[in-house]
Amino acid sequence: MSLNEICELGIIGLTSLGQSLAAHHATQQRRVCVYDFDDPSFVPEVVKEYRTAIEKDENLNSAFSTIRPSRCMVASTSMEEFAKIITTSRKIIIFGTHGDDKKFDDIWNELKVNLTRGDMVLRWGEEEGTVLTNPTEQNNLQFYTESIVGNLSKLQAEPLGIDLLEMVKLEQDRATIIKERDIQETFVVGGARFAYDQLSEYVSPFALTGHVGSSAACAHYARMVQRAIEFGIAQCLAEGCDLLKKAALFENQDVGRTLTKWQEGGIITSYLVEISSKIYYKRDGMTKKGHVIDHIVDCIDLNGSDTWFSLEATKLGVPAPTINAALEARFLSNMINDRVDASSILGAPEGADTPSVLKDQISEDLQGAIHSAWTCVIAEGLSIFAAAAEVGQWEVDLVECLRLWNLPASFLKSDMLDKMLSALFENQGNMQNLLLIPSIASQLQEAHMSWRRI
């Protein structure tokens, strides 16, 4: 093998994204070795197609006389050959295993015997158009304290001096990403920080990433805590809107106007308030009667992600009353038939009046109460993560988690998270208790009476 064939990056898994990433770096005159575990015979065809497309440009550009991009993608048809072509310390990215742990395990078992100390392997997360081989198994995997990559890293990779990392996709609004072309999908990465720094330059053209912890399990944990916080803040806002309608007797448009007012100059300005304000104005185009919000069935199917956080809180002995209350609401939501039957027996007594309230006062108090509840939800989520990190002996970056959760297209995007991040930086990242940071504690004290009145 000549030195001209040695590659700086290895790609396993020629999915659409795997091919795109390999082609991108090859056109940047970086030598990339590609291999496909499912069908090694497919690899030469991919490389031939790439070369044919690139050679047309090369013939018109004399700048490529030294290093020709068309020769920077190198095919390999066996794992042994693949490992030999990549320079040490090897940098390898594996595509096409999201939701298929058995496949990743098979790839790892074949790959590891060809690796040496100092090599780095990153498992890419969810890709566009991924079809899970076993959705039930995938759902369960996401809730384990240790992912398969975390287990393999601890038991096999680390003793060999190999860094094994994992990318996990965060929750984002897909419609916003499609609409705003400059917004990238966001992934959290768990594993050795040094290896992350080495690999991130290859990943960054295709995904926005952040390093959240020293174990691959940290990436899964960051995503699940994000989901739990989303459930919590959504429930707080839903109950607030319900109060506006039932206690203040607001019509849908009144609720929409109140949310718009909060969004334009309140203390809970956020993506969630913005989209919620719009739904209260939207007329129902199917029935031509009333608003869409009145035709949405108030029932949510439950899955493992709903109960995961409360189970973790119980296991770790960390109180999470606000998020647990949101979970109880989801349980009640799921019992729609029981609620319908009970309403005919346990309805409000005749003549019972809703207590008189001042609409402006309840609107102002409710905003403060929601802000305080949201603060508690986020504090509970971070406390659980910190407790898990202590048990798992992980080094975690909770400030980075907050930053990633607050990026455009995130359901948690809000001015409140901006202020929390500023407060944490002022507190030098000390995450002992979010509620005790002076600036955050002051906000809670200011909203204290509003919270109590609600």
Side-chain angles (χ1 to χ4, degrees):
M1 183 189 307
S2 69
L3 291 177
N4 290 333
E5 293 178 311
I6 297 296
C7 298
E8 64 175 276
L9 176 67
I11 301 294
I12 297 176
L14 294 182
T15 61
S16 294
L17 185 57
Q19 291 184 48
S20 296
L21 189 141
H24 170 82
H25 290 297
T27 57
Q28 300 300 310
Q29 297 173 291
R30 286 175 163 171
R31 295 186 62 79
V32 182
C33 181
V34 295
Y35 174 70
D36 193 76
F37 183 79
D38 294 328
D39 185 6
S41 64
F42 172 59
V43 180
E45 296 178 27
V46 172
V47 174
K48 180 180 178 181
E49 183 178 337
Y50 163 78
R51 287 182 174 177
T52 301
I54 298 300
E55 282 174 346
K56 294 178 182 178
D57 293 331
E58 286 179 341
N59 293 333
L60 300 174
N61 192 338
S62 60
F64 294 135
S65 58
T66 305
I67 302 176
R68 296 175 60 114
S70 64
R71 295 296 181 265
C72 285
M73 186 186 293
V74 180
S76 59
T77 55
S78 72
M79 195 72 81
E80 183 180 6
E81 180 187 30
F82 173 80
K84 286 181 178 179
I85 293 175
I86 307 169
T87 185
T88 56
S89 299
R90 298 177 181 87
K91 302 175 184 69
I92 298 170
I93 303 176
I94 299 177
F95 290 91
T97 67
H98 172 72
D100 193 344
D101 287 336
K102 183 182 182 305
K103 178 178 176 181
F104 180 81
D105 194 31
D106 291 341
I107 292 173
W108 169 251
N109 286 330
E110 191 173 321
L111 174 64
K112 67 182 180 183
V113 297
N114 297 290
L115 299 179
T116 55
R117 181 172 295 275
D119 291 347
M120 309 159 217
V121 180
L122 171 68
R123 182 191 190 184
W124 196 280
E126 184 179 344
E127 301 173 43
E128 184 84 27
T130 299
V131 178
L132 300 183
T133 56
N134 188 339
T136 302
E137 179 181 321
Q138 170 64 10
N139 283 338
N140 290 334
L141 169 67
Q142 294 289 340
F143 318 134
Y144 291 160
T145 301
E146 287 286 356
S147 66
I148 184 174
V149 178
N151 283 326
L152 291 174
S153 178
K154 184 162 54 177
L155 299 176
Q156 299 182 22
E158 290 177 14
L160 297 174
I162 299 167
D163 291 316
L164 192 52
L165 301 88
E166 180 150 31
M167 283 174 59
V168 176
K169 186 178 176 181
L170 288 179
E171 298 278 322
Q172 290 176 284
D173 180 11
R174 185 67 188 157
T176 300
I177 293 176
I178 294 173
K179 182 180 178 181
E180 305 291 339
R181 295 181 178 273
D182 59 334
I183 297 178
Q184 289 182 297
E185 292 183 330
T186 304
F187 291 78
V188 285
V189 180
R193 177 72 204 212
F194 173 79
Y196 168 78
D197 291 339
Q198 295 290 306
L199 288 163
S200 59
E201 65 174 305
Y202 301 103
V203 173
S204 59
F206 291 84
L208 197 159
T209 65
H211 182 262
V212 296
S214 58
S215 167
C218 298
H220 287 283
Y221 221 93
R223 179 176 183 271
M224 293 309 299
V225 170
Q226 180 201 28
R227 287 171 62 94
I229 292 174
E230 286 173 5
F231 294 158
I233 68 169
Q235 182 62 33
C236 293
L237 186 60
E239 291 183 14
C241 293
D242 193 49
L243 272 174
L244 289 175
K245 295 191 71 172
K246 293 180 178 177
L249 303 180
F250 278 22
E251 298 293 335
N252 287 327
Q253 297 97 319
D254 297 325
V255 176
R257 278 191 288 269
T258 300
L259 294 176
T260 300
K261 180 182 177 181
W262 291 350
Q263 178 65 16
E264 291 177 347
I267 58 175
I268 57 172
T269 301
S270 63
Y271 172 80
L272 184 60
V273 171
E274 179 185 0
I275 61 173
S276 298
S277 67
K278 294 176 181 178
I279 194 68
Y280 276 97
Y281 287 113
K282 189 172 181 61
R283 308 289 298 186
D284 186 56
M286 295 181 65
T287 65
K288 308 300 181 183
K289 297 178 181 178
H291 295 80
V292 169
I293 193 73
D294 297 319
H295 297 276
I296 297 174
V297 178
D298 59 335
C299 180
I300 299 176
D301 290 333
L302 295 171
N303 59 48
S305 63
D306 297 312
T307 57
W308 173 86
F309 187 88
S310 291
L311 292 172
E312 281 292 294
T314 302
K315 182 176 72 176
L316 295 167
V318 178
T322 320
I323 295 180
N324 284 340
L327 176 62
E328 295 289 343
R330 294 177 83 85
F331 288 156
L332 284 171
S333 169
N334 193 249
M335 299 169 62
I336 186 169
N337 293 330
D338 295 318
R339 288 189 287 111
V340 170
D341 292 342
S343 65
S344 63
I345 302 171
L346 301 173
E350 291 186 12
D353 294 326
T354 301
S356 177
V357 297
L358 296 173
K359 291 188 175 183
D360 289 342
Q361 182 67 58
I362 194 172
S363 174
E364 191 64 30
D365 284 344
L366 191 54
Q367 184 180 195
I370 292 173
H371 179 274
S372 300
W374 281 7
T375 303
C376 290
V377 167
I378 296 167
E380 290 168 13
L382 296 178
S383 294
I384 294 293
F385 205 160
E390 185 175 350
V391 172
Q393 297 183 317
W394 307 329
E395 295 178 8
V396 297
D397 189 343
L398 298 182
V399 175
E400 179 68 353
C401 286
L402 278 181
R403 185 189 72 82
L404 294 168
W405 294 339
N406 198 39
L407 290 174
S410 169
F411 294 107
L412 296 181
K413 174 67 177 171
S414 64
D415 287 355
M416 189 174 73
L417 276 186
D418 285 334
K419 293 175 181 177
M420 283 186 176
L421 278 167
S422 297
L424 287 170
F425 282 123
E426 291 173 6
N427 204 48
Q428 298 180 331
N430 185 351
M431 297 294 297
Q432 286 295 323
N433 192 324
L434 184 70
L435 303 181
L436 299 182
I437 294 176
S439 59
I440 295 176
S442 175
Q443 293 170 8
L444 289 174
Q445 289 174 331
E446 289 176 7
H448 176 75
M449 289 310 299
S450 294
W451 207 0
R452 290 179 67 87
R453 283 192 292 267
I454 292 298

